Amino acid sequence: QVQLAESGGGSVQAGGSLRLSCIVSGDTDKAHCMGWVRQAPGKEREGVASIDGDGSTNYADSVKGRFAISRDNAKNTQYLQMSSLKPEDTGMYYCAARTEGRCVLPLAARLVHAWGQGTQVTVSS
């Protein structure tokens, strides 16, 4: 079993930055395929960023160039560095992991096995 716990959300003004963290616990070695998914009221669930076991990354066009996903295996932590935030980035951000099978990027929500509880990001103009 893999457990995920996000933190780091908050309220910032447009143009600001936030770094989200996701602590991985349980069977940490199974969290080989990870990512971040966001959802806002009235919007579709959107995969924002993902990373595979080799360190390859993928980003949604809406965040490309502004967000960066990374992993620190020693700390069992995944990060999402968000810069140049826009109001449309507002939403709940969920850490996600695929723990079985192949990891194909981007990580589709339907293939996620473990979810974090979510952390709220609010960007004001």
Side-chain angles (χ1 to χ4, degrees):
Q1 298 287 339
V2 171
Q3 295 174 267
L4 308 174
E6 309 97 329
S7 63
S11 298
V12 298
Q13 293 185 334
S17 299
L18 286 172
R19 187 180 74 164
L20 307 183
S21 299
C22 173
I23 298 175
V24 182
S25 60
D27 294 332
T28 57
D29 58 337
K30 291 186 177 293
H32 62 97
C33 186
M34 302 193 68
W36 292 88
V37 178
R38 69 184 180 187
Q39 188 168 35
K43 293 185 178 180
E44 297 285 336
R45 180 183 294 176
E46 180 183 27
V48 173
S50 49
I51 185 169
D52 67 16
D54 295 324
S56 297
T57 59
N58 181 273
Y59 299 94
D61 289 341
S62 58
V63 306
K64 194 171 298 181
R66 300 186 297 116
F67 290 12
I69 187 171
S70 62
R71 300 178 67 172
D72 186 337
N73 291 330
K75 296 181 178 180
N76 294 320
T77 303
Q78 177 187 225
Y79 302 97
L80 183 67
Q81 178 66 50
M82 305 184 295
S83 301
S84 301
L85 284 163
K86 304 175 180 179
E88 51 262 44
D89 294 319
T90 294
M92 286 290 293
Y93 284 70
Y94 298 90
C95 184
R98 178 170 174 79
T99 59
E100 305 288 343
R102 285 175 48 82
C103 184
V104 178
L105 302 184
L107 176 60
R110 66 183 182 87
L111 300 179
V112 170
H113 295 123
W115 293 91
Q117 80 285 357
T119 185
Q120 176 69 35
V121 172
T122 302
V123 184
S124 62
S125 59

